[in-house]
Amino acid sequence: MKKSVLACLFATAMLSLSAHAADKIRMGVVVKVGGNAWFNAMEAGIKSEAAKRGIDAWQVGPTSADPALQVRAIEDLIAQKVDVIGVVPNDARVLEPVLKRAHDAGIKVIVHESPDQKYADWDFEMVDATQHGINHMVALAQCMKEKGDYAVYVGSLTVPLHQKWADAAINYQKEHYPNMHLVGDKFGVGESLDDSIRTTNDLMSKDANLKGILAIGSQGPIGAGRAVLNRGKTDDICVFGPFSPGQGASLVKAGAIKGGFIWNPMVAGEVFVRIAEKLEKGEKITDGMTIEGMGKVKVDEATRTILGNETESLDKANLPKLVKMGL
């Protein structure tokens, strides 16, 4: 009799553990490209926060910044029947059909750096896009002494957030710095180190009055900085933009990159997990609430956007602290 009772209790415990495991939230986050310092930091944030909250979350990093590879990765997550899919899109429109399939399958979708993304439950931004662009333009203009030609790089011409940052910066320049002139249009090279180097070399060769580069995209400032350094133009051309501190530290020290502003990608990874848990638990996301890592947020229900206001300066004084954090 005792053996029978013990066996029954053991079976009940095992069923309970199995049910608990089945209830564990499963989340895959598809980023723009794998293997670079920025998204490595994001992955660390996803893993650490998921471990704290008992969530099964992982990052998928395509081998190149190709929207088609993101589509395949999302299709794979749909096939795995995950609960939540996170995405940092390379091309918002290309992803619409596959995100609709995820939505139709009952999978919640969270995007980052993709405002107005169709078929997303929420887009979260660590900082207001307009202000982020203006902050970079003010710093660039001060360095350029408010005169001369400048170029703007974005990660891709199909990344909505990069367009918003760039457009805000350009519009601010036109209103406040009439002696500065934009060279051509925006260059969609900021996620490629080689393309950023090549574009910067071409611009320096063609434009003797080039005084600044606002480079948006994880590799844009790095590529521009390397090209400027190799040409011995660190005193002549100001490079500003968001970049991974560890990757850009030596270029800042050499004066090839003058600075920029970022949010902490590790924290952004953590926020992916925090928002996923809120959605899965049915918790409401409301204007004025505090989300750890984002501070007090602005919430736009119409566009399904969550805006934080957390940035770090990438100047010589603040950079060592960020590098020490492993960013």
Side-chain angles (χ1 to χ4, degrees), residues 228-245:
V228 167
L229 182 63
N230 289 341
R231 287 282 188 96
K233 296 279 189 178
T234 57
D235 293 331
D236 304 315
I237 298 175
C238 302
V239 176
F240 277 87
F243 57 89
S244 173

Side-chain angles (χ1 to χ4, degrees), residues 197 200-201 204-205 208 210-211 213 223-239 251 254-258:
I197 291 172
T200 307
N201 281 329
M204 288 188 293
S205 296
L210 184 71
K211 300 297 180 185
I213 297 171
R226 287 190 184 179
V228 167
L229 182 63
N230 289 341
R231 287 282 188 96
K233 296 279 189 178
T234 57
D235 293 331
D236 304 315
I237 298 175
C238 302
V239 176
L251 291 168
I257 300 176
K258 299 298 191 279

Side-chain angles (χ1 to χ4, degrees), residues 145-218:
K145 297 181 173 57
E146 302 183 12
K147 60 184 179 181
D149 293 346
Y150 74 98
V152 173
Y153 302 169
V154 290
S156 163
L157 298 177
T158 55
V159 177
L161 186 62
H162 288 193
Q163 299 299 316
K164 287 195 172 187
W165 291 345
D167 289 344
I170 293 165
N171 290 337
Y172 193 83
Q173 174 267 306
K174 289 178 179 177
E175 289 178 19
H176 294 85
Y177 310 117
N179 294 321
M180 290 173 61
H181 305 284
L182 177 65
V183 178
D185 203 347
K186 292 165 282 190
F187 297 85
V189 298
E191 292 297 342
S192 168
L193 182 63
D194 291 340
D195 289 346
S196 296
I197 291 172
R198 183 165 48 250
T199 301
T200 307
N201 281 329
D202 287 346
L203 287 168
M204 288 188 293
S205 296
K206 293 174 182 176
D207 188 350
N209 196 39
L210 184 71
K211 300 297 180 185
I213 297 171
L214 172 54
I216 296 166
S218 63

